[in-house]
Amino acid sequence: MAGWWRCAERLFALYFVSHVPITLLIDLQPLLPAAGLYPRSLMELLEWYAVTFRDPMMMQPPEWFKAFMYCEAFLQMPFFPIAAYAFIKGGCKWIRTPAIIYSTHVATSLVAILAHILFHDFSKSEHLGPRTQQERLILLSIYIPYLLIPLLILFTMLYSPQYNQVEKRKRK
């Protein structure tokens, strides 16, 4: 059983390590002015992604989506290296409460994003959005890991004996 928890910690570490460049290089582009901050190649990568996967939220985010982006920039981004360290090291009980807060916040945000993808009428969007059910499912497949992994983190923090044990203090 200990081997399974260690594999989960490695997955979590990879998730947080990979999140740093994705956030800095791609996710934050819509929030920051395009005046030379990002190289043209990164801007073209974002454009390619948005057109290929029909994700207009990344080209012209609605205000509620921008709020989630600001949370990613100012709340989540500082947490990514801390969480990566804790899960690389393994068995760090101090990460439990911050990981519960993080995973709950992200899962809640993703429910709103996934509902928007499934139910919003993108025909009025300036940028191409998903029009068919298949296009919606493809776009969902991009976002769904960012729901599933935080849920796995949440359940691990809540139910893993490794993170859920109450430490007994020695009496003097």
Side-chain angles (χ1 to χ4, degrees), residues 38-156:
Y38 285 97
R40 185 75 200 140
S41 59
L42 284 177
M43 293 167 58
E44 288 171 355
L45 177 63
L46 178 61
E47 240 176 85
W48 170 85
Y49 160 78
V51 170
T52 303
F53 295 100
R54 295 191 177 254
D55 189 351
M57 295 180 294
M58 289 303 292
M59 295 306 293
Q60 189 176 23
E63 298 307 317
W64 63 267
F65 194 79
K66 279 185 186 177
F68 291 155
M69 291 173 146
Y70 281 113
C71 287
E72 185 174 6
F74 296 111
L75 300 176
Q76 296 175 32
M77 185 60 207
F79 179 67
F80 295 157
I82 295 166
Y85 167 80
F87 290 120
I88 288 169
K89 185 174 180 193
C92 296
K93 294 182 188 320
W94 54 264
I95 198 66
R96 183 176 188 266
T97 300
I100 289 170
I101 293 167
Y102 166 81
S103 57
T104 304
H105 164 72
V106 171
T108 304
S109 300
L110 261 293
V111 167
I113 293 167
L114 296 176
H116 184 73
I117 292 169
L118 282 172
F119 304 118
H120 182 71
D121 178 10
F122 288 98
S123 64
K124 297 176 180 104
S125 298
E126 183 179 322
H127 299 278
L128 285 179
R131 302 236 164 100
T132 67
Q133 192 65 19
Q134 181 180 0
E135 289 172 349
R136 289 177 191 271
L137 292 175
I138 289 170
L139 185 54
L140 276 176
S141 72
I142 301 294
Y143 282 92
I144 206 83
Y146 298 99
L147 171 65
L148 296 179
I149 293 175
L151 286 176
L152 186 57
I153 292 169
L154 178 62
F155 290 122
T156 300

